[in-house]
Amino acid sequence: MISRICVLATASVLLALTACGSSEPKREIPEGIPPGPGTEVPLIDFNAPGRTADLLLAWAEPQTDALGISVTALASYGHAAAIMTETDPDCGIAWTTLAGIGYIESRHGTYQGSSVQPDGLVAPPIRGIPLDGGPGVAEIPDTDGGVMDGDAEFDRAMGPMQFIPETWKKWGVDANGDGIADPDNIDDAALTAARYLCARGGDLRTAQGWETALMAYNLSGQYLRDVRDRAAAYSVGTRP
C-alpha cells in the first residue's frame, strides 16, 4: 500500500511532510439498552400549518448520508419523538429507537422498491405476508374486511412501521395535519409507533421500560437485538 502525503516546500527546501487523505476511524457502537438518544431534536411549532415534520428537514439533512435514512423519513422519526417529549415527557422515547424499528420493519419505507414521498406517503404501499398461521406466522383472521390491508381473509401488516389493521384502528393517529390517520404515511406511522411504545413501556429511558416496549411491539428477542443494534449505531451518527 502506498500512503498519500502532502508535501509543503519553498524553493528547493522541503519544509514538511504531512499525512493526508486518511479515512476517519469507524465509530464504536455502544452496547446495552436503551440505545442512546442521538442528536438532539430542535424545538419546533407543532401547530404551524402544513406538514410540521418539514420544520426538521434542516436538522435531518446533515445526517441522512451517514445514517442511510432519507431526509423525509428521518424528519418523521425526529418529529414523532419531539411530539412525545411535549405530550408525554415521562416516556423519553428517542428518534433512534423509532429509526431502528423503521429499518427492521421496512428499510425506512423502501422495502421492495417502495419510496417515501416528500409528504411522507410511502408508495407503493408496503404489505406483509398473510397472517395465516403458517410456519412461524401468527394466525390473525381478517378484522377490516380487507379495506385497509387489501386482504379479506387474513390480516397483513401495513406501512413503514408494519401495523396490523386491528392495532392501527386503536392507535393510529394523524401526525401531518391532513385529517387522515394513514398507516402508509411515515409521519402518521412513526407517531403511532411512538405512542404505542410509550403506553406499553412507560419510561423508555430505562432498560426495563425499553425492553418491555420493544417486546410488546414484536415478541422476539432477536427483533429486540436487531432494533437495538440499529438504534445504537444511529445514536453515534453511523450505521452497523
Side-chain angles (χ1 to χ4, degrees):
M1 178 183 294
I2 301 175
S3 298
R4 295 172 56 202
I5 59 173
C6 297
V7 181
L8 177 63
T10 59
S12 60
V13 181
L14 181 65
L15 296 182
L17 294 175
T18 306
C20 69
S22 59
S23 60
E24 182 180 343
K26 188 173 182 179
R27 298 180 186 179
E28 183 176 348
I29 298 174
E31 298 290 338
I33 58 174
T39 55
E40 184 177 359
V41 181
L43 296 174
I44 61 171
D45 180 5
F46 299 115
N47 296 313
R51 180 182 184 255
T52 51
D54 283 345
L55 300 176
L56 291 175
L57 294 179
W59 166 81
E61 282 172 352
Q63 306 179 74
T64 185
D65 288 341
L67 300 180
I69 306 174
S70 73
V71 65
T72 304
L74 185 54
S76 292
Y77 300 140
H79 183 250
I83 288 177
M84 295 309 297
T85 296
E86 183 169 300
T87 61
D88 188 2
D90 291 335
C91 172
I93 190 169
W95 67 263
T96 52
T97 291
L98 297 171
I101 292 173
Y103 176 83
I104 300 302
E105 295 291 358
S106 71
R107 300 302 188 265
H108 306 302
T110 65
Y111 183 67
Q112 290 191 337
S114 291
S115 61
V116 182
Q117 309 303 307
D119 63 356
L121 186 67
V122 174
I126 297 172
R127 295 293 179 265
I129 62 173
L131 298 174
D132 58 7
V137 177
E139 182 175 352
I140 305 179
D142 174 65
T143 62
D144 69 321
V147 173
M148 299 177 70
D149 62 4
D151 190 331
E153 185 175 4
F154 295 100
D155 273 352
R156 296 176 182 243
M158 310 177 295
M161 303 301 268
Q162 289 288 278
F163 282 97
I164 60 173
E166 186 174 21
T167 305
W168 186 263
K169 283 186 283 187
K170 180 177 180 180
W171 292 96
V173 64
D174 170 29
N176 64 355
D178 66 358
I180 302 170
D182 184 355
D184 295 311
N185 185 285
I186 198 165
D187 294 351
D188 297 355
L191 182 56
T192 298
R195 292 178 65 241
Y196 181 86
L197 291 163
C198 288
R200 290 292 184 261
D203 188 350
L204 270 64
R205 294 164 296 192
T206 67
Q208 181 178 351
W210 194 87
E211 181 174 348
T212 299
L214 265 292
M215 293 299 279
Y217 204 93
N218 189 315
L219 188 58
S220 164
Q222 185 60 55
Y223 181 87
L224 183 148
R225 289 188 292 274
D226 289 344
V227 170
R228 191 220 74 88
D229 289 348
R230 276 280 156 180
Y234 296 149
S235 76
V236 293
T238 189
R239 50 185 132 169

